[in-house]
Amino acid sequence: MTCTQCATSEKERLTPASQRAFRLERAAPLVMPDTTPLVTASATVAAPDTEVDPAANTDYAATAPEAVAVSAPADVRGLLARARAKCHLKEYTTGIAYLNMALRFAPTNADAYYQRGLTRLKLKQYPAAITDFTKATQYNPQCKEAYFGRGVARMQTLNFRAAIPDFTAAINLDAEFADAYEYRGISHASLNKPTEAKADLAKAFSLNPEAEKSLRRYTE
């Protein structure tokens, strides 16, 4: 099963002078093993068709008004598809609600944690995003995008030192992960490590010419 990123946007670049955080821009599609468990018991849960306060620490699905019957053998992948559709429409809190539903039936589903982590990045819920990406790596250690996403979430909190090992883990899983090199290079630059920054940004540029702006900004 392929997990696609919920939404993409132009990257807000980090500048060393201000050290302001930036948003997750893009990630290559994550290919997850097609082993999503099926629900084995009948249940009825509330469908998350209304927006709620993203700052509220609540189970969005449980507070929505419309009920959806989920009965055996209901496919959790259907809930994940609904979540992706909602995120594509930028209805992020509703997307999280569907992911919460999926995780109630499949609590070890790495794809659901990964998707929820991406969505929480959009909602600027960085600690929660870090937790979700960590869960995704626990249940699927080959999930390079989860390491990358966790690194970006840590950069959002200006924890560049902690972000670097995450980007390194993503690179170890994919030696041609251009975004991971670029973001690791920016992290090095933010920690005043110009040699490491230049090496990473040069590698990113060799893999993706669009990284040229970062290469010039942080090494010239």
Side-chain angles (χ1 to χ4, degrees):
M1 179 170 62
T2 300
C3 174
T4 56
Q5 184 175 340
C6 294
T8 59
S9 62
E10 182 64 21
K11 192 186 309 175
E12 181 185 342
R13 295 292 183 178
L14 184 71
T15 60
S18 63
Q19 289 196 340
R20 56 188 170 86
F22 56 87
R23 300 183 181 88
L24 175 63
E25 169 218 12
R26 64 187 182 277
L30 169 63
V31 179
M32 305 288 290
D34 194 6
T35 57
T36 308
L38 300 180
V39 178
T40 56
S42 299
T44 299
V45 295
D49 286 337
T50 57
E51 294 291 337
V52 295
D53 180 4
N57 184 17
T58 184
D59 183 346
Y60 303 123
T63 61
E66 182 181 341
V68 169
V70 180
S71 57
D75 191 348
V76 171
R77 286 173 297 198
L79 295 174
L80 299 183
R82 288 190 182 191
R84 285 193 293 270
K86 290 295 184 180
C87 291
H88 182 72
L89 295 172
K90 298 185 179 181
E91 298 176 14
Y92 300 124
T93 55
T94 305
I96 285 180
Y98 280 115
L99 294 169
N100 289 346
M101 292 167 64
L103 287 167
R104 288 163 72 179
F105 294 110
T108 63
N109 188 289
D111 194 13
Y113 283 112
Y114 170 72
Q115 287 190 50
R116 197 170 69 177
L118 284 178
T119 308
R120 283 176 162 164
L121 272 178
K122 293 296 181 180
L123 293 172
K124 300 182 180 181
Q125 299 174 353
Y126 305 126
I130 291 170
T131 297
D132 279 340
F133 288 131
T134 298
K135 286 283 189 179
T137 63
Q138 289 174 350
Y139 294 123
N140 181 7
Q142 302 304 308
C143 181
K144 64 180 182 181
E145 296 294 349
Y147 293 108
F148 177 77
R150 188 171 66 184
V152 172
R154 285 172 167 163
M155 291 184 78
Q156 290 283 18
T157 63
L158 304 183
N159 191 354
F160 304 108
R161 196 173 304 279
I164 288 173
D166 286 329
F167 298 132
T168 299
I171 290 167
N172 287 341
L173 291 168
D174 181 359
E176 297 187 353
F177 198 157
D179 286 352
Y181 284 108
E182 183 177 1
Y183 281 44
R184 190 174 71 175
I186 295 171
S187 296
H188 281 308
S190 300
L191 294 172
N192 297 315
K193 295 182 177 181
T195 301
E196 293 88 341
K198 185 174 183 178
D200 276 342
L201 293 172
K203 179 65 173 180
F205 174 64
S206 72
L207 295 169
N208 176 18
E210 292 183 4
E212 182 180 10
K213 291 181 180 179
S214 292
L215 177 61
R216 289 181 176 178
R217 175 174 296 178
Y218 295 104
T219 62
E220 292 183 356

